[in-house]
Amino acid sequence: MVGSSGSCENCKQDLEVYCPEIIWILKTFGGYSENIVIDEHFAVLIPNSLPLHGAAPLLCAGITVYSPMMYYGLCKPRQHLGVVGLGGLGRVAVKFAKALGMKVTVISTSPSKKNEAVERLGVDSFLVAMGTMDGIINIVSGPYTLLPLINLLKTNGKLIAVGASTEAPEIPYIPLMMGRKLIGGSTTRGMKETQEMVDFAAKHNIIVDIEVIPMNYMNTAMERLAKGDTKYRFVIDVANTLYSSF
Ligand SMILES: [Zn+2]
């Protein structure tokens, strides 16, 4: 986002992303621009210790998982957090949760991701027992059923959706009632918390796992995205692409 009203109820609470007059960067040719002028309110300071290519996707993937963890109180040491789906967002969620001293379990239907989760990301477990989690960050964007996830939660547990699933799952109210459990949702957040998230990432050396590509690889990258043939976020190296083509 690059602009908002600055005066509505949401803007006054640092929730620019919910402003009815929000201006998305798409209108300004986005990240493909060589130069961009924005109000300083919408600029984020990237600390020197963070490499730009690994920090760039934090501004979407990072804040998308960091914000609900903070808002819903799923950020305390020794709490048990479940992460459904180990894609771009899931990996960052695991990194934040581990930096916060939480116990993390990845819930995934692909056994191939187990080694990476346990060995590379330091996930505590991949298998799951019922009624053991304080919260679950659900990143799944395809169709899914809620009941198995609700059953993993302890009493007062929270299931937070951040994946853009277009298929509405049926909500099983009785299992929610029986454990005073909550289903919530979240997207990215305002500028203040985005800066806090970047500073937290810098302090704990958290960057997003990425694949750096030159500009002329874009079409192939888009084809790979459509096929689901990606492991990490693509980051386009605009500067090197420009220099090497002259
Ligand atoms: Zn506003």
Side-chain angles (χ1 to χ4, degrees), residues 138-145 161-169:
N138 182 15
I139 292 142
V140 173
S141 54
Y144 64 96
T145 348
V162 298
S165 182
T166 47
E167 311 221 0

Side-chain angles (χ1 to χ4, degrees), residues 154-158 174-183:
K154 287 182 192 170
T155 304
N156 298 330
K158 297 164 186 169
I174 291 173
L176 289 177
M177 289 158 59
M178 297 314 284
R180 203 166 63 176
K181 297 173 184 179
L182 178 151
I183 296 180

Side-chain angles (χ1 to χ4, degrees), residues 31-133:
Y32 305 140
S33 311
E34 246 179 277
N35 297 293
I36 181 170
V37 177
I38 55 162
D39 186 304
E40 65 185 294
H41 181 74
F42 290 91
V44 175
L45 177 74
I46 308 290
N48 285 334
S49 61
L50 276 183
L52 288 179
H53 55 318
L58 282 177
L59 302 178
C60 182
I63 189 66
T64 300
V65 293
Y66 177 90
S67 181
M69 287 168 70
M70 295 297 146
Y71 178 74
Y72 290 103
L74 299 170
C75 50
K76 300 179 191 86
R78 288 179 298 282
Q79 274 184 329
H80 185 188
L81 184 75
V83 175
V84 189
L86 194 64
L89 274 74
R91 284 190 187 84
V92 196
V94 169
K95 290 182 187 188
F96 281 134
K98 293 305 293 177
L100 289 160
M102 302 174 82
K103 181 183 172 194
V104 189
T105 297
V106 167
I107 304 154
S108 168
T109 48
S110 352
S112 61
K113 291 191 170 167
K114 184 176 175 178
N115 283 353
E116 188 203 351
V118 176
E119 285 159 28
R120 241 189 106 244
L121 293 166
V123 164
D124 299 286
S125 62
F126 206 79
L127 294 170
V128 202
M130 306 260 281
T132 56
M133 293 183 175

Side-chain angles (χ1 to χ4, degrees), residues 1 14-17 63 188-195:
M1 55 189 165
D14 295 309
L15 293 170
E16 297 90 339
V17 71
I63 189 66
T188 61
R189 269 285 289 280
M191 298 313 300
K192 186 166 172 267
E193 195 178 22
T194 301
Q195 185 67 60

Side-chain angles (χ1 to χ4, degrees), residues 4-12 16 18-21:
S4 68
S5 77
S7 56
C8 74
E9 203 179 315
N10 290 314
C11 285
K12 283 179 186 161
E16 297 90 339
Y18 303 138
C19 175
E21 291 170 43

